[in-house]
């Protein structure tokens, strides 16, 4: 087991850090007691799943398309569906969904984006890849 050697400077630095934390600890305690903080943390954790699908679209989807649909498949055409749909759907959905609770709207949009990847489980075909990108774009436009 490694031994830690504390110098005078490191002990003084540790004392300063502890002093700094103790000054702010009432604020940390107040935030940790608040139920809204935990709701925000859960909400952020849910959105991580939805955002990871977009990372999949950039990183792994080209490899999937090349392996499953062949090297001649035009991945750029599939990828371009997303921005094209988002440009037209966002103004449409924002007007329609403005009267709903934003938290619920974002949750529904994230859910739709997250389930979009299951379209690829139906069959290895060009139309399922298009379906994946279209459903993903609809979810993105909602949230």
């Amino acid at each position: 087991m490694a031994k830690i050697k504390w110098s005078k400077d490191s002990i003084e630095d540790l004392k300063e850090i502890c002093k700094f934390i103790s000054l702010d600890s009432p604020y940390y305690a107040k935030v940790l007691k608040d139920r809204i903080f935990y709701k925000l943390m859960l909400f952020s954790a849910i959105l991580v799943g939805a955002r990871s699908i977009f990372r999949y679209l950039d990183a792994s989807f080209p490899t999937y398309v090349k392996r499953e649909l062949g090297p001649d498949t035009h991945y750029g055409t599939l990828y371009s569906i997303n921005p094209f749909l988002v440009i037209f759907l966002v103004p449409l959905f924002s007007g329609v969904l403005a009267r709903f609770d934003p938290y619920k709207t974002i949750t529904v949009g994230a859910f739709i984006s997250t389930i979009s990847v299951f379209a690829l489980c139906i069959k290895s075909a060009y139309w399922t890849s298009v379906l994946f990108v279209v459903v993903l774009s609809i979810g993105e436009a909602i949230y």
Side-chain angles (χ1 to χ4, degrees):
M1 193 160 153
K3 288 188 174 184
I4 299 174
K5 293 184 180 181
W6 293 93
S7 68
K8 259 187 171 182
D9 291 336
S10 60
I11 291 174
E12 288 301 317
D13 289 342
L14 187 60
K15 286 181 184 177
E16 287 296 317
I17 291 170
C18 290
K19 182 181 173 184
F20 179 76
I21 291 174
S22 68
L23 292 174
D24 287 339
S25 62
Y27 301 113
Y28 296 138
K30 186 176 181 181
V31 167
L32 292 174
K33 285 181 187 177
D34 198 356
R35 185 171 183 230
I36 294 173
F37 171 73
Y38 293 103
K39 189 175 180 180
L40 175 67
M41 293 303 291
L42 179 65
F43 187 63
S44 298
I46 290 170
L47 289 180
V48 166
R51 296 305 302 167
S52 67
I53 301 298
F54 288 100
R55 187 66 191 129
Y56 170 76
L57 184 66
D58 292 335
S60 301
F61 189 59
T63 306
Y64 168 82
V65 168
K66 193 180 289 185
R67 287 181 184 166
E68 294 297 320
L69 304 178
D72 325 351
T73 307
H74 300 289
Y75 166 72
T77 306
L78 288 171
Y79 189 79
S80 66
I81 295 170
N82 177 264
F84 178 78
L85 286 177
V86 167
I87 287 171
F88 292 106
L89 291 178
V90 167
L92 177 72
F93 285 153
S94 1
V96 172
L97 299 173
R99 60 189 167 143
F100 293 104
D101 178 37
Y103 176 76
K104 290 180 182 176
T105 305
I106 292 171
T107 305
V108 168
F111 178 74
I112 292 171
S113 293
T114 305
I115 64 168
S116 67
V117 77
F118 290 110
L120 299 174
C121 298
I122 298 170
K123 186 179 179 182
S124 288
Y126 198 80
W127 69 270
T128 56
S129 298
V130 171
L131 180 65
F132 159 64
V133 176
V134 167
V135 173
L136 177 72
S137 302
I138 291 170
E140 182 183 7
I142 290 173
Y143 86 92

